[in-house]
């Protein structure tokens, strides 16, 4: 559909050409449009003589308001942003880069860096595992995740420790228009708990248990209800990290009673490869970070309710 504004412009220009072509001048009662300057009228007449009707259907191109920044200046800015910052600073800022470039406009610096995907103010971290068997362990775990054995269960098991039931010393002020919810800075600690969880990689469902501590005694006791829901004839591969409670004598004794269970340990400093860590992240982000718990029982109940909701509606297979 044509734009009404465009049709109006075309009609107005055609009116000018028809009036001038009929012999009407620019003055007196016979001017094509008394509210338009004479130079604009003659500009469209000249355009019509040069390009005929096609000249009335488009606007003339206009030069940009600002000259584009020369390419050598852009390259110099990029090189500067990727170089070490000044001795008095830990990183480059937009203002510092603009000043170092001889007064370049800060908005221009921001746009150039954004187009190149450069963020001098941000730093990401990484950790290199020193495990000598890092590659075969990662290959084994990735193989279980991507192509699990037939008729077998793959579980991702870990603990989320030191979950604090934090309350506030005063009741929060509710959110109003233009003002966020307000809380006191000081908190009240109402105890800590530990969540033991096993995530079924194939279904995404989670079995969880809240315990006061995560020792060698609690871990086999957690595995018992998990094993009770699995056919004893089924092979079970458990992915877990290298914490001592996963390798204790009690655990080895439990494994002797469950010969079809096998443990696959993540590399040292490689617990991020355990799929249940993603569930812990969602639990923290959606339920714990902004929560207020007046008692430890309230915190435990909230975590158990989150697990039930996850299993009922939000449990996708791990990919």
């Amino acid at each position: 559909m044509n734009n009404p504004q465009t049709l109006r412009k075309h009609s107005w220009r055609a009116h000018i050409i028809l009036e001038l072509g009929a012999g009407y001048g620019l003055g007196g009662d016979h001017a094509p449009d008394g509210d338009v300057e004479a130079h604009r009228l003659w500009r469209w007449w000249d355009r019509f003589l040069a390009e005929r009707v096609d000249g009335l259907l488009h606007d003339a191109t206009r030069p940009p308001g600002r000259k584009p920044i020369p390419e050598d200046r852009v390259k110099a800015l990029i090189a500067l942003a990727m170089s070490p910052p000044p001795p008095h600073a830990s990183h480059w800022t937009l203002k510092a880069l603009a000043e170092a470039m001889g007064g370049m406009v800060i908005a221009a610096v921001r746009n150039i860096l954004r187009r190149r995907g450069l963020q001098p103010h941000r730093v990401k971290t990484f950790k290199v595992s020193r495990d000598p068997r890092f590659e075969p362990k990662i290959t084994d775990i990735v193989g279980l995740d991507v192509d699990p054995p037939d008729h077998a269960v793959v579980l991702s098991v870990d603990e989320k420790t030191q979950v604090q039931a934090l309350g506030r010393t005063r009741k929060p002020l509710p959110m109003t228009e233009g003002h966020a919810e307000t809380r006191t800075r000081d908190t009240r600690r109402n105890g800590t708990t530990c969540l033991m969880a096993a995530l079924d990689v194939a279904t995404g469902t989670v079995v969880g248990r809240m315990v006061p501590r995560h020792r060698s005694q609690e871990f086999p006791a957690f595995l018992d209800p998990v094993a009770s829901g699995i056919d004893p004839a089924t092979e079970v591969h458990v992915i877990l990290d290298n914490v001592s409670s996963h390798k204790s004598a009690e655990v080895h004794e439990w494994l002797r009673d469950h010969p079809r269970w096998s443990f696959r340990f993540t590399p040292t400093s490689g617990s991020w490869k355990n799929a249940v860590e993603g569930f812990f992240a969602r639990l923290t982000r959606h339920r714990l970070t902004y929560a207020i718990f007046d008692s430890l029982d309230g915190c435990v109940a909230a975590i158990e309710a989150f697990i039930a909701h996850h299993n009922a509606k939000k449990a996708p297979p791990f990919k």
Side-chain angles (χ1 to χ4, degrees):
M1 181 180 293
N2 291 325
N3 188 336
Q5 284 294 114
T6 301
L7 295 176
R8 182 182 301 176
K9 289 192 298 184
H10 293 168
S11 175
W12 176 77
R13 295 167 188 173
H15 173 69
I16 292 175
I17 300 304
L18 291 174
E19 291 291 297
L20 291 177
Y24 293 106
L26 297 180
D29 298 333
H30 300 291
D33 195 326
D35 296 330
V36 181
E37 298 88 344
H39 70 87
R40 294 185 62 190
L41 301 176
W42 288 116
R43 182 178 64 198
W44 286 110
W45 177 255
D46 292 339
R47 178 87 66 85
F48 173 73
L49 294 179
E51 304 179 30
R52 311 306 294 175
V53 175
D54 291 340
L56 307 178
L57 301 179
H58 63 86
D59 296 332
T61 57
R62 296 177 176 85
R66 291 181 181 175
K67 294 182 179 180
I69 300 176
E71 188 62 27
D72 58 340
R73 292 270 289 169
V74 173
K75 292 181 179 179
L77 173 62
I78 295 173
L80 182 63
M82 299 179 68
S83 66
H88 63 274
S90 63
H91 62 278
W92 283 108
T93 63
L94 295 177
K95 183 178 180 181
L97 288 170
E99 292 176 350
M101 290 298 296
M104 183 180 289
V105 179
I106 293 180
V109 174
R110 180 188 298 109
N111 292 335
I112 293 173
L113 296 184
R114 181 181 298 157
R115 287 196 298 268
R116 268 61 177 193
L118 298 176
Q119 297 176 315
H121 63 288
R122 296 188 62 186
V123 176
K124 293 186 176 181
T125 60
F126 67 93
K127 185 176 180 63
V128 178
S129 174
R130 298 182 180 180
D131 194 323
R133 300 190 65 252
F134 177 84
E135 185 172 346
K137 287 182 178 180
I138 285 291
T139 302
D140 185 27
I141 293 173
V142 171
L144 287 175
D145 290 338
V146 176
D147 187 19
D150 294 335
H151 310 295
V153 174
V154 178
L155 299 177
S156 173
V157 177
D158 201 0
E159 299 90 5
K160 183 173 179 60
T161 61
Q162 295 297 312
V163 180
Q164 298 190 68
L166 293 179
R168 299 285 169 171
T169 57
R170 293 290 186 273
K171 185 178 180 180
L173 299 177
M175 177 180 59
T176 59
E177 292 187 10
H179 196 277
E181 179 183 312
T182 306
R183 301 177 177 181
T184 57
R185 290 181 178 271
D186 47 337
T187 59
R188 181 184 292 113
R189 298 186 179 184
N190 298 311
T192 60
T193 185
C194 172
L195 169 62
M196 290 185 170
L199 182 144
D200 188 334
V201 172
T203 64
T205 56
V206 173
V207 176
R209 181 183 181 187
M210 309 301 299
V211 294
R213 303 172 65 181
H214 64 294
R215 300 170 298 176
S216 300
Q217 299 93 313
E218 283 81 9
F219 186 60
F222 165 67
L223 293 179
D224 284 333
V226 177
S228 65
I230 302 175
D231 186 349
T234 302
E235 289 187 3
V236 181
H237 304 273
V238 182
I239 302 171
L240 65 173
D241 59 22
N242 294 275
V243 69
S244 59
S245 60
H246 297 165
K247 300 180 178 181
S248 64
E250 292 88 344
V251 174
H252 284 289
E253 183 179 351
W254 189 92
L255 286 175
R256 283 195 293 270
D257 296 334
H258 299 78
R260 301 192 69 82
W261 283 59
S262 62
F263 283 5
R264 311 294 184 89
F265 293 98
T266 60
T268 305
S269 303
S271 60
W272 48 267
K273 194 61 197 72
N274 210 349
V276 75
E277 296 290 346
F279 171 77
F280 289 157
R282 290 192 296 275
L283 169 65
T284 301
R285 185 169 58 250
H286 297 300
R287 191 61 187 91
L288 300 179
T289 299
Y290 299 108
I292 298 177
F293 300 115
D294 295 327
S295 67
L296 183 59
D297 291 340
C299 178
V300 171
I303 295 175
E304 291 175 346
F306 183 87
I307 294 175
H309 175 75
H310 170 84
N311 290 337
K313 297 183 177 180
K314 300 286 186 179
F318 173 73
K319 294 183 181 180

